[in-house]
Amino acid sequence: MSTQVELGMPATSGQVLLADPRGYCAGVDRAVITVEKALDLYGAPVYVRKQIVHNKHVVNDLAARGAIFVEELDEVPPGATVVFSAHGVSPAVHAQAAERSLKTIDATCPLVTKVHHEARRFAQEDYRILLIGHAGHEEVEGTAGEAPEHITLVEHPDDVAALEFPEGTRLSWLSQTTLSVDETMETVRRLREKFPQLEDPPSDDICYATQNRQVAVKEIAKDADLVIVVGSANSSNSVRLVEVALEAGAKASYRIDDISEIDDAWLEGVSTVGVTSGASVPDDLVQEVLVYLGERGIGNAKAIRTADESLIFALPPELRRDIKAASQA
């Protein structure tokens, strides 16, 4: 782990605008701690279906401690302990786990669970649910699995024009929690324009952390020659941050997993660099970027705070129960 960079370090030729908030959100923190606590409590191996969060460094660190990541439950020995990732799973996955007598710990982010509840409620009331999200993303697969016969996937605002439903169809919309706020609202605008009867979910599905990180990156991007987003390629919210930075005025923006992916050519002629990270990124990776930039003459780090985050989610109830029982044994 790199040395913590102090904000306000003397600059030689450039400045860093450091987005705040950035990095871990409450749902990611809960999911990672869930795997750590499960390893401590039950011992290795603990199986995890899919990546617990979309960050290869986090996954590699947990694997080194004894977590075994699998794509599907048929890779997990009967009776073993398995953790479901923060992105959520469908009822079919829960059923398969029961069939294999697996001990399950559900680390689904509570904000994703909320969307699952909304999908079930709308389906019970016989709505056609327009799910805004990316095909193949684990979160979308989990949500769609709650009511597959009721869900139509909408990936992009331009997809709206081709949608047709019988007259009198009750319509509602839900969304993946990690999308671009602006693009999602544009999709909703077009849906509502075409289908005036469209009903909203009780609250916006895009999670607070995704929104906060997009607001923060907009603030730094407008004054930045370059914005560096730390996050893995399969992290939807990290990829969105690059898009948002460019739309907000950054002259250039790139996503990196870590400093090994920085191209020094990006820094040529650059005086102000914005730095942020996706919601599944540990902050030591950001600190390494700050050190890297400081060594190249861009060392005056200024935090740009746009929101305070204090939300904490309790660990999954099944894990809390076992921790309590172990402490009383």
Side-chain angles (χ1 to χ4, degrees):
M1 186 178 294
S2 64
T3 302
Q4 183 85 8
V5 172
E6 297 295 331
L7 298 182
M9 288 177 61
T12 51
S13 61
Q15 181 179 52
V16 174
L17 301 178
L18 185 61
D20 184 7
R22 64 182 182 278
Y24 270 16
C25 63
V28 165
D29 195 43
R30 172 184 187 262
V32 173
I33 292 173
T34 293
V35 178
E36 293 172 342
K37 293 287 187 183
L39 286 166
D40 291 342
L41 187 61
Y42 310 122
V46 167
Y47 292 83
V48 183
R49 183 183 181 275
K50 308 292 187 179
Q51 292 188 354
I52 185 67
V53 297
H54 285 160
N55 184 269
K56 72 175 188 179
H57 291 278
V58 172
V59 169
N60 291 342
D61 287 347
L62 292 172
R65 293 188 54 179
I68 297 177
F69 292 87
V70 299
E71 284 299 303
E72 298 300 342
L73 293 184
D74 57 12
E75 301 172 57
V76 181
T81 298
V82 61
V83 178
F84 294 144
S85 80
H87 310 102
V89 298
S90 69
V93 174
H94 284 285
Q96 185 185 7
E99 290 170 5
R100 295 180 60 79
S101 300
L102 301 178
K103 178 181 178 61
T104 60
I105 300 171
D106 190 353
T108 301
C109 173
L111 299 179
V112 174
T113 299
K114 175 181 75 72
V115 181
H116 285 204
H117 290 325
E118 292 166 351
R120 290 196 298 270
R121 180 179 66 82
F122 277 130
Q124 288 166 0
E125 297 175 6
D126 201 28
Y127 280 83
R128 169 57 49 179
I129 302 165
L130 306 178
L131 177 59
I132 303 169
H134 300 298
H137 191 280
E138 291 152 42
E139 183 186 327
V140 167
E141 291 178 348
T143 300
E146 293 287 350
E149 69 283 1
H150 286 267
I151 284 185
T152 298
L153 184 64
V154 183
E155 292 197 76
H156 188 273
D158 292 342
D159 295 341
V160 173
L163 295 174
E164 296 293 343
F165 301 101
E167 186 176 349
T169 300
R170 304 179 78 187
L171 296 175
S172 64
W173 70 273
L174 299 173
S175 78
Q176 183 179 331
T177 63
T178 54
L179 302 177
S180 161
V181 176
D182 293 339
E183 183 173 307
T184 301
M185 290 302 100
E186 173 60 17
T187 301
V188 172
R189 185 192 69 77
R190 295 192 194 184
L191 286 171
R192 187 169 286 116
E193 189 175 78
K194 185 168 185 178
F195 306 109
Q197 77 272 32
L198 183 73
E199 292 202 22
D200 296 331
S203 60
D204 185 358
D205 289 337
I206 297 178
C207 89
Y208 78 95
T210 296
Q211 296 189 51
N212 286 349
R213 278 147 193 73
Q214 290 179 17
V215 169
V217 83
K218 286 180 181 179
E219 191 64 25
I220 63 174
K222 64 185 183 181
D223 298 316
D225 302 307
L226 165 69
V227 172
I228 294 175
V229 176
V230 186
S232 291
N234 62 340
S235 167
S236 176
N237 75 88
S238 298
V239 173
R240 300 290 85 71
L241 287 175
V242 174
E243 298 171 356
V244 172
L246 292 170
E247 290 167 359
K251 297 180 178 65
S253 183
Y254 301 96
R255 180 205 54 78
I256 62 169
D257 259 301
D258 52 50
I259 58 173
S260 69
E261 297 181 358
I262 297 178
D263 184 343
D264 280 342
W266 299 346
L267 305 179
E268 293 178 6
V270 166
S271 61
T272 302
V273 179
V275 176
T276 190
S277 58
S280 52
V281 178
D283 204 56
D284 61 302
L285 297 176
V286 174
Q287 294 299 320
E288 289 173 0
V289 171
L290 298 183
V291 171
Y292 182 99
L293 294 173
E295 291 171 348
R296 286 153 181 79
I298 306 175
N300 183 20
K302 177 183 178 183
I304 306 297
R305 176 169 294 182
T306 54
D308 292 315
E309 294 182 351
S310 57
L311 184 63
I312 298 173
F313 292 133
L315 292 174
E318 56 269 37
L319 182 59
R320 298 201 310 271
R321 181 187 62 239
D322 287 355
I323 291 172
K324 181 177 180 181
S327 69
Q328 294 173 345

